[in-house]
Amino acid sequence: MKPHLTLAMVALFAGTPAAFAQSATPADIPAVGETKIETETFTRTVPSANRFEIESSKLAQQKNVAADVREFASLMVRDHTKAGEDFKAALEQSQTTASVTASGPALLPKDQAMLDQLKNLDGDEFQAKYIALQTEAHKQALALFSTYAQSGEDPALKEFAKKTLPTLRTHENRIKDLVAARS
């Protein structure tokens, strides 16, 4: 069974970056090479991305997945719930005039599409897709947060981005461990 899972993971990772590159619009996700992100884009993207992390990870906790994946999902729910609270506090201190709330609107289309991909899967299929989507989501989050931390316009939100980056890097490393354990 493990060779099939490994092949599935390789197939998913081979297609994932291209699929996301095609589906992402500049307003939804900044390109990794962007040198500046507008505050409006940041405040619209963060709540949706954060909510995707929580909802997809709650799904992972309910599905038939390996213990290490379930443990990672619990970490995602805990850390991204805290990030949502920190974002709300940063918004309260921010200078932005954007009409956003910490919980944000419904998921952005790209985040909803990723969540929808997971809903009808279970077991190895769910696990492989969850890991692939978490890999891509954290790659995009690191690009968004590091760019805003360097060039953001709003001091409170810039500080939030700087403060959140180490947690996102830890998540990225944990995802790499999950991938390595399955290759």
Side-chain angles (χ1 to χ4, degrees):
M1 191 123 188
K2 187 169 180 163
H4 295 290
L5 178 59
T6 302
L7 289 174
M9 292 293 292
V10 169
L12 283 169
F13 284 118
T16 299
F20 278 88
Q22 294 169 355
S23 66
T25 61
D28 287 341
I29 298 178
V32 175
E34 268 189 49
T35 57
K36 184 170 182 172
I37 294 173
E38 298 297 322
T39 298
E40 181 182 339
T41 300
F42 186 76
T43 58
R44 189 182 55 225
T45 305
V46 169
S48 179
N50 202 48
R51 188 166 155 206
F52 165 76
E53 293 290 345
I54 293 168
E55 290 187 24
S56 65
S57 295
K58 283 181 178 178
L59 270 177
Q61 291 174 319
Q62 300 166 6
K63 300 286 185 168
N64 183 23
V65 296
D68 60 341
V69 175
R70 191 178 313 277
E71 181 183 313
F72 175 78
S74 294
L75 176 69
M76 292 301 95
V77 171
R78 185 187 73 221
D79 286 357
H80 285 278
T81 298
K82 180 172 182 341
E85 294 165 0
D86 292 347
F87 181 66
K88 182 180 178 182
L91 274 177
E92 290 172 359
Q93 296 180 356
S94 81
Q95 300 168 357
T96 184
T97 57
S99 58
V100 294
T101 62
S103 60
L107 290 173
L108 291 173
K110 67 166 183 65
D111 293 324
Q112 185 64 56
M114 290 191 303
L115 189 60
D116 289 345
Q117 291 177 46
L118 292 170
K119 287 184 177 176
N120 296 320
L121 301 176
D122 199 16
D124 290 347
E125 285 182 308
F126 176 90
Q127 185 169 281
K129 187 59 136 179
Y130 174 73
I131 293 170
L133 292 176
Q134 287 294 325
T135 299
E136 188 60 31
H138 280 87
K139 176 183 170 186
Q140 293 296 332
L142 281 166
L144 176 73
F145 277 73
S146 61
T147 302
Y148 197 85
Q150 292 173 10
S151 63
E153 299 163 345
D154 187 286
L157 294 173
K158 192 172 177 177
E159 185 59 32
F160 162 74
K162 287 178 186 177
K163 183 176 147 188
T164 307
L165 272 170
T167 302
L168 293 174
R169 287 189 185 107
T170 298
H171 293 172
E172 181 184 47
N173 290 332
R174 293 287 300 271
I175 295 165
K176 287 178 182 176
D177 291 344
L178 291 176
V179 171
R182 281 149 185 79
S183 45

